[in-house]
Amino acid sequence: MPDLTARDLMTPDVVTVPPETPVVAVARLLSERGISAVPVVDKGGTPLGIVTEADLIRRLAGEEDKPAGWFRSLFGDPAAQADRYARTHGATAADVMTEDLVTVEESTTAGHIAHMMEEEGIRRVLVVQGGRLRGIVSRADLLRALVAPPPVHGALSDDRFRRAALAAMRKEPWAAPF
């Protein structure tokens, strides 16, 4: 696996949403496409954040939050409380997204990506080049790399071609979730 890079591992055609996408639409998209996260990008393709299943579950869990008691309100961090309220009551992707992105370039090695995921406690990294989103590498992509034969650079492997074709089909409204 030492020769594998983000370019070899990434899903190239990532489903994305603009920041003004309603949270309900994001949840529906994740459910229908069978994906666990969606990057939020601006019109130029620059990543602004990512909405994960955890972000949406946090929103749902926030419905059970009770107002802070008097004592807690004295010692609580007002900025953190305001941020939590916005994330749990937000209406758009921009309101609930995680803004602290972990990104890599296409040339980043699989080993370094795995190390970053482990250190940061995350499940995916965005692949960017020149500030624009190029793909995404998930834990599942790293696991496939462990059992896949090494890629022949310059040639499009069957698995990489299959992933690219599936990613393209996921963007089509006629494609059933798979």
Side-chain angles (χ1 to χ4, degrees):
M1 191 164 80
D3 295 330
L4 293 176
T5 64
R7 182 182 305 105
D8 301 317
L9 300 169
M10 71 183 187
T11 299
D13 295 314
V14 182
V15 176
T16 62
V17 296
E20 63 275 3
T21 305
V23 170
V24 173
V26 173
R28 187 176 298 120
L29 179 68
L30 295 181
S31 176
E32 289 174 355
R33 300 290 174 108
I35 55 179
S36 59
V38 61
V40 180
V41 298
D42 66 13
K43 290 182 177 149
T46 301
L48 304 172
I50 190 165
V51 178
T52 67
E53 291 171 323
D55 294 322
L56 297 176
I57 290 169
R58 184 180 309 115
R59 183 176 191 273
L60 183 61
E63 293 176 4
E64 293 282 319
D65 285 351
K66 293 178 177 44
W70 176 82
F71 188 73
R72 186 173 167 206
S73 67
L74 288 177
F75 296 103
D77 177 5
Q81 291 170 353
D83 182 58
R84 175 156 174 86
Y85 184 86
R87 287 173 154 294
T88 58
H89 293 82
T92 66
D95 296 333
V96 300
M97 70 185 181
T98 299
E99 295 179 62
D100 296 331
L101 295 174
V102 177
T103 64
V104 298
E105 293 187 351
E106 291 178 337
S107 60
T108 305
T109 65
H112 187 68
I113 293 169
H115 178 77
M116 290 175 71
M117 286 181 174
E118 183 69 21
E119 288 293 310
E120 298 290 332
I122 57 174
R123 297 178 182 204
R124 67 203 55 80
V125 295
L126 300 182
V127 182
V128 296
Q129 208 68 34
R132 294 190 53 167
L133 182 65
R134 303 287 294 160
I136 193 166
V137 176
S138 68
R139 287 180 176 181
D141 295 322
L142 287 174
L143 288 176
R144 278 194 292 277
L146 286 172
V147 296
V152 178
H153 289 287
L156 190 59
S157 71
D158 289 345
D159 184 56
R160 192 162 170 216
F161 177 79
R162 180 183 166 281
R163 286 188 291 133
L166 288 172
M169 287 176 56
R170 284 186 188 103
K171 290 185 173 184
E172 297 300 323
W174 49 263
F178 47 91

